[in-house]
Amino acid sequence: MFPRLSASPFPGRLLYFLGILALGWLPFVGVGWWLFPGGRDYLWLPLYGLLLGWIWLWGEWRGSRGFATYGLDRSWACQGRILQGLVTGCGGLLLLFAVEGGFGWLTWRPVGWGSLLGYSLLGLLLGFAVALVEELFFRGWMLEEMTLDYGMAFASWGSSLIFAIAHFLKPLPEILATWPQFPGLGLMGLLLVQARRWTHNKLGLSLGLHAGWVWGITWVNNLNWVDYTGRAPEWVTGVGGNPLAGVLGVLSLGITFWALDISFKISRSSVESTDESL
């Protein structure tokens, strides 16, 4: 089966991959929809579990290395970058809120320490879950499979575009209400692709950045920590309560891209200078 798949073009491999995933998920949807009406909002949990298992199996076929085929391994070069990404992603997001507060565009509500810690842990767990699955799929499986057929440049843009489109698989009224989020999602996808390039195809930094953003947004939103004053339009501060979906959010992503690019260039130049001196 897999040798025949390797000879098929990327669209065929994508349809096969998603088709098998959908067939595996259907029993969970059927059982959950009829027997557990109150648990329908959690049907994404078995989907995420199946997706992780399917990616691992595909990685075993591609290189007999499971997730390591897509840059997620136990090396410090990967694991250490997760922490860097977490701090950069969540820290940058909180800094964005602080800037908007400084302009008087939002105010902070008083929050108890217990709630602050509890929702922080909840946001961190959710951030890791979402980031693990989405990074292994979009910056792992999809990027690798598209690169095989079309090259790295096309795969970078193509996977980022599909990543942005995938976040709009929802009812038309919601799409129309949140479409300004699209540029921010596209830029986010490109930044996460580049994060993998900066770290020699390791997925740690991409995973950490993504988890940090989800962590910060979930933390603030679940606490109802901020109130927007209405002094700035939503397209500036963030559409649909997503701070990265406004003009300032896109600017924040651009600054993050620039800062990381500069830091890795400096790191490379220092390593090259050390090698020359030796």
Side-chain angles (χ1 to χ4, degrees):
M1 177 181 62
F2 279 119
R4 288 198 301 271
L5 275 176
S6 63
S8 64
F10 170 75
R13 298 198 302 275
L14 177 62
L15 288 175
Y16 179 86
F17 185 95
L18 296 178
I20 293 294
L21 180 65
L23 287 175
W25 189 42
L26 279 178
F28 293 96
V29 174
V31 172
W33 190 262
W34 294 107
L35 298 182
F36 306 102
R40 292 173 184 173
D41 292 339
Y42 298 96
L43 287 175
W44 59 272
L45 289 173
L47 175 64
Y48 273 26
L50 289 168
L51 182 54
L52 287 175
W54 194 202
I55 291 172
W56 185 86
L57 285 173
W58 199 289
E60 283 291 300
W61 165 62
R62 279 294 191 196
S64 299
R65 299 171 60 221
F67 292 148
T69 304
Y70 306 112
L72 184 61
D73 55 36
R74 297 180 181 179
S75 67
W76 174 249
C78 181
Q79 302 295 327
R81 295 294 184 185
I82 294 177
L83 180 60
Q84 179 189 3
L86 270 176
V87 173
T88 303
C90 190
L93 193 65
L94 294 178
L95 180 60
L96 176 60
F97 279 118
V99 169
E100 292 179 354
F103 282 122
W105 295 344
L106 60 80
T107 57
W108 297 85
R109 291 182 177 181
V111 176
W113 283 106
S115 297
L116 195 66
L117 178 60
Y119 280 108
S120 172
L121 294 175
L122 177 64
L124 182 59
L125 290 173
L126 181 63
F128 263 117
V130 171
L132 178 65
V133 175
E134 293 194 2
E135 290 311 300
L136 276 170
F137 180 61
F138 289 105
R139 259 64 61 180
W141 185 89
M142 184 174 291
L143 186 65
E144 291 287 339
E145 293 296 321
M146 290 187 76
T147 301
L148 288 173
D149 285 21
Y150 309 120
M152 190 57 170
F154 184 94
S156 300
W157 287 92
S159 62
S160 299
L161 179 62
I162 295 174
F163 170 73
I165 293 172
H167 286 77
F168 284 85
L169 299 178
K170 48 192 174 182
L172 182 60
E174 292 186 38
I175 294 176
L176 295 177
T178 58
W179 69 266
Q181 295 182 4
F182 192 85
L185 287 167
L187 180 58
M188 184 187 298
L190 288 171
L191 172 54
L192 293 171
V193 168
Q194 188 61 37
R196 190 177 172 192
R197 287 187 180 180
W198 282 323
T199 54
H200 307 289
N201 280 328
K202 299 293 185 181
L203 205 61
L205 182 59
S206 303
L207 197 159
L209 283 169
H210 198 156
W213 292 327
V214 177
W215 178 21
I217 292 172
T218 304
W219 192 12
V220 171
N221 287 349
N222 283 346
L223 277 172
N224 292 317
W225 204 355
V226 300
D227 283 319
Y228 288 97
T229 61
R231 295 181 182 177
E234 195 179 48
W235 58 267
V236 173
T237 57
V239 177
N242 184 350
L244 297 177
V247 170
L248 280 185
V250 172
L251 180 61
S252 173
L253 289 172
I255 292 173
T256 302
F257 194 108
W258 174 79
L260 287 172
D261 187 49
I262 292 295
S263 69
F264 280 105
K265 285 180 178 177
I266 293 174
S267 177
R268 283 196 301 269
S269 63
S270 64
V271 170
E272 291 171 357
S273 299
T274 301
D275 291 342
E276 289 176 1
S277 64
L278 293 176

